[in-house]
Amino acid sequence: MNASNSTNPELENKELFKSGHTACAGCGVSVGLRHILRAAGPDTIVVNATGCVEIFTSAYPRSAWSVPYIHCLFENTAPVAAGVVETLRAQGNDHTKVIVIAGDGASYDIGFGHLSGMLERGHDALYISYDNEAYMNTGVQRSGATPWKANTTTSQVGSVFKGKMQYKKPLTEIVAAHSIPYAATSTSAHYIDLQNKVKKALSIKGPKFLNVLMTCVPGWGTEPSLSMQYLKDAVDTHVWPVYEIENGFLKMNLKPEKKPVETYLKGQKRFKHLTPEDIAQIQKMVDEKWDSLLWKEKCDQERLAALKK
Amino acid sequence: MMRKTIEGSFAVAEVVRDCVPDLVACFPITPSTHIAEELDRMYTDGQIKSYTAVESEFSAISMLVGGSAAGGRVFTTTDAQGLFLMHEVLFAASGMRLPMVIVNANRAVSAPLNIWNDQQDSISERDAGWIQIYCKNNQEAVDAVPQAFKISEDTLLPVMVCMDGFYLTHIVEQIDVPQKELIMKYLPAKRNAQYKLDTQNPISMGMYAMPKDYQGFRDDLHLDILKAKENVKKEMEAWGAVSGRRYGNGLWEEINAEDADILFVAMGSIIENAELAVDKMRAKGKKVGIVRIRCYRPFPAEVAKAFVGKKKIVVFEKALGFGASPPLYTDVSNAVREAGLKTKVYSIAGGLGGKDVTVEHIMEMLARVKKEKEPFQIVWGD
Amino acid sequence: MKMPLGKPGTSMENKTGGWRTERPQVDQSKCIKCNQCHLNCPDGCIFVTQKGAQPNYDYCKGCGVCAQVCPVKCIKMVPEEK
């Protein structure tokens, strides 16, 4: 390992996700990967979908991964992970953890059916969707995760249509509807929440799911230095609610005092064309969603308390 | 020796079980379904370590990728649309050098939808980087499975064992099903993986390759598949020594070929009809014989040795090469040309989607080839 | 037989520091060693040492996240001179 100029070789050696990967400057995903691996520890196998992460971490012959890593295709991480874990268990290995790292293209769209299959069959793996809200690796095309009105190269701002005309797919809720033991959301910037959730998920047997919002500098059209700030703003404006659904019971993990959605939208080139009416509409949708989550939490937590009595 | 009367699918399932797989994952598709059902039954009885009923063939083969990467011995069965749904993963599995075995119950492909036998499905996957072995009967199918695991694990190449749908999968006949004790004399009880996902020795698998590296990997894969001919031959010998049964040299089989003037060249279960046709014609003094291609990929161009001195050969196949000559004919013609032979090569495609090809039909084909001076390419029966 | 495999952590052979147009300059006298820069670094290349935060310029791409998240603003982005 070449760490000659490291300012702290001991810490640098401990990192399971290594420097020298070729993500863009300010990449919100690579920060998230560092936290995920830090929480998971070395007895972990990573199954990765085709996408940005695969490209910036695994150009032959150099790898940024210090844990065993496999990439096969875009859409098949869920069954590949299922194959890894079933084989490990069949061979008597009941300790090694299997984590999927797949983008929103792989998770919301092309690999959606296979993800559903993995959840329904109950394979003992943690599926992490890193959601940067478009197909960034191929140059920013809209996905099922792209929010309403966002400008991408396949949901452009023209004279008739302005940005994506459809709404973001509620993947976390769809996943949770499979009655799996644990599903949660987080972001790369909320690293304590993220690391805790990875640890918690890995302590549970069966299929687990995390949906983690991660900034994409070129895709969102943001300043590299603000990658963490946008994620904090996404949470503080309630655009990206951070919650967990454990055995069907929803709990909001972060309830920040609400900032207007404009705080989050401003400065992102993908939202530059939004009109005041658009922003008002987004605010309305965000408020309604937040309200419904709070009601669901109240209901679930009361029911949980009643069950515990 | 354990002769019993058993359906082809169930016999294959027994042998798969006794090869001790770590992972079996299947999605039902006619006519491979009985193999999957039987393996699932065995799992519910605790006879195999793992069986997953997945939501698609695409997931089945993807689970095999994960299982093989984790160092396991892995198996699935499918055919036709199922094999096609696996298409993308077939190429990835060979490119990643992951050993695995598929039993493909050869079936016609859509459209129109048709569940009966031909070989268009696996033939269309010939360039996927897999070894393909075509069985002529159920005895051979059960003998091919242990060989397939051995070849696959030794060469780090995936292997497809092709048995004709219905004609073999659903036929109940008396065969000798190799028992576990016998198989374990031949196949290591556990796969010994050279490379695997192991947290004690972390490697990265499925890297992407830039233009300077990519072609080298693909060319190397091609050369290794060619080299695998030696493994196919070697394993036929080794299995023959254990089981007492051999099928030619593993790559091809010659039947009444030595003194024949006209050879019938084909793959799969049609060979049994061809054997009957040849016997009948020989009884009338007609010098006809058979060369059966057993290993289609890698293609044994050396088979041209069997054609030396022959006037005519007719290649019969259950697949078309849409917009070009049929695939097996093309390979055989190339072998003839490369060997510098003057043998005339005739092409007959037929039996598509389960259309009957009888003993009499084969006799007619051979008679027509004998009669016609210039080679033709036809589809039989239409 | 050529295997398309990678060895762990070999990405460190890629010195991505060459991408940089701005470099983080740390005023270590102001650094409170809170580790925020390290935790938020996309390239995992700034570490807190006994003297304070110190980037490893072999890998630092100059994104400026460390300067942005620093609670005491002791990191300044300055034009790369090379």
Side-chain angles (χ1 to χ4, degrees), chain B residues 185-197:
Chain B
K185 280 185 198 157
Y186 168 77
L187 184 69
K190 264 183 169 177
R191 180 181 148 211
N192 180 22
Q194 282 173 265
Y195 307 94
K196 63 174 179 177
L197 297 169

Side-chain angles (χ1 to χ4, degrees), chain A residues 42-45 54-63 65-76 79-84 86-88 90-91 95-96 113-115 117-118 121 123, chain B residues 22-23 49-50 52-56 58-59 62-74 88-89 92 96 98 196-199 201-210 212-213 217:
Chain A
D43 192 17
T44 303
I45 292 171
E54 174 247 341
I55 295 299
F56 73 65
T57 63
S58 71
Y60 176 81
R62 293 172 183 172
S63 171
W65 303 90
S66 287
V67 294
Y69 166 92
I70 180 170
H71 157 259
C72 181
L73 297 167
F74 193 2
E75 67 276 43
N76 69 352
V80 169
V84 171
E86 293 311 319
T87 301
L88 292 178
Q91 291 171 338
H95 52 85
T96 298
H114 307 306
L115 165 60
M118 180 197 116
R121 291 190 302 272
H123 301 288
Chain B
D22 296 293
L23 178 109
K49 288 188 254 182
S50 98
T52 308
V54 282
E55 86 288 350
S56 67
F58 187 90
S59 273
S62 297
M63 277 194 73
L64 264 58
V65 164
S68 184
R73 179 170 292 159
V74 298
E88 188 190 8
V89 196
M96 292 171 77
L98 296 172
K196 63 174 179 177
L197 297 169
D198 175 5
T199 54
N201 178 27
I203 53 167
S204 293
M205 304 178 88
M207 311 279 284
Y208 88 91
M210 298 293 278
K212 74 178 168 62
D213 297 311
F217 285 122

Side-chain angles (χ1 to χ4, degrees), chain A residues 46-271:
Chain A
V46 168
V47 180
N48 184 205
T50 307
C52 285
V53 169
E54 174 247 341
I55 295 299
F56 73 65
T57 63
S58 71
Y60 176 81
R62 293 172 183 172
S63 171
W65 303 90
S66 287
V67 294
Y69 166 92
I70 180 170
H71 157 259
C72 181
L73 297 167
F74 193 2
E75 67 276 43
N76 69 352
T77 43
V80 169
V84 171
V85 78
E86 293 311 319
T87 301
L88 292 178
R89 301 299 181 253
Q91 291 171 338
N93 175 336
D94 58 0
H95 52 85
T96 298
K97 300 169 283 278
V98 178
I99 294 185
V100 170
I101 306 280
D104 52 284
S107 309
Y108 283 71
D109 293 349
I110 197 168
F112 180 65
H114 307 306
L115 165 60
S116 176
M118 180 197 116
L119 301 171
E120 183 266 331
R121 291 190 302 272
H123 301 288
D124 186 22
L126 168 59
Y127 190 107
I128 300 180
S129 148
Y130 68 94
D131 185 357
N132 53 20
E133 304 197 313
Y135 307 152
M136 299 314 187
N137 188 41
T138 43
V140 198
Q141 291 83 32
R142 60 91 83 191
S143 77
T146 303
W148 183 65
K149 287 280 171 173
N151 183 2
T152 72
T153 58
T154 51
S155 63
Q156 298 200 20
V157 176
S159 57
V160 179
F161 300 108
K162 297 185 191 305
K164 187 183 171 187
M165 303 310 288
Q166 303 81 20
Y167 302 99
K168 187 178 172 97
K169 187 189 279 190
L171 184 66
T172 313
E173 289 156 279
I174 297 168
V175 163
H178 287 74
S179 298
I180 60 168
Y182 191 74
T185 64
S186 192
T187 88
S188 300
H190 299 78
Y191 54 84
I192 296 173
D193 179 78
L194 176 57
Q195 289 200 26
N196 284 342
K197 281 174 176 166
V198 170
K199 282 181 193 157
K200 185 170 186 176
L202 290 174
S203 73
I204 300 167
K205 250 197 158 1
K208 289 83 61 174
F209 177 83
L210 288 183
N211 202 1
V212 187
L213 188 70
M214 302 193 181
T215 339
C216 175
V217 170
W220 293 11
T222 50
E223 278 300 313
S225 62
L226 296 176
S227 281
M228 296 301 109
Q229 189 55 48
Y230 274 109
L231 297 177
K232 287 171 192 161
D233 289 342
V235 172
D236 290 349
T237 56
H238 300 179
V239 165
W240 185 261
V242 174
Y243 59 88
E244 62 189 349
I245 302 171
E246 200 176 349
N247 298 317
F249 297 97
L250 183 136
K251 186 178 184 329
M252 304 292 281
N253 304 107
L254 300 172
K255 288 184 192 172
E257 201 174 317
K258 187 179 78 180
K259 289 183 184 168
V261 289
E262 227 173 332
T263 316
Y264 170 66
L265 301 172
K266 72 168 192 294
Q268 296 194 42
K269 284 197 187 118
R270 61 179 176 154
F271 294 127

Side-chain angles (χ1 to χ4, degrees), chain B residues 327-381:
Chain B
L328 182 61
Y329 161 81
T330 306
D331 287 327
V332 171
S333 297
N334 272 346
V336 166
R337 185 179 48 78
E338 284 165 8
L341 304 179
K342 296 276 184 282
T343 310
K344 287 179 177 171
V345 188
Y346 296 66
S347 168
I348 302 177
L352 302 184
K355 200 176 186 79
D356 256 353
V357 181
T358 63
V359 174
E360 287 68 32
H361 288 157
I362 295 170
M363 291 165 71
E364 281 173 43
M365 289 177 201
L366 286 164
R368 188 163 160 194
V369 167
K370 185 176 167 63
K371 195 176 72 191
E372 296 212 18
K373 275 200 179 125
E374 289 311 310
F376 54 73
Q377 286 186 25
I378 58 168
V379 175
W380 188 260

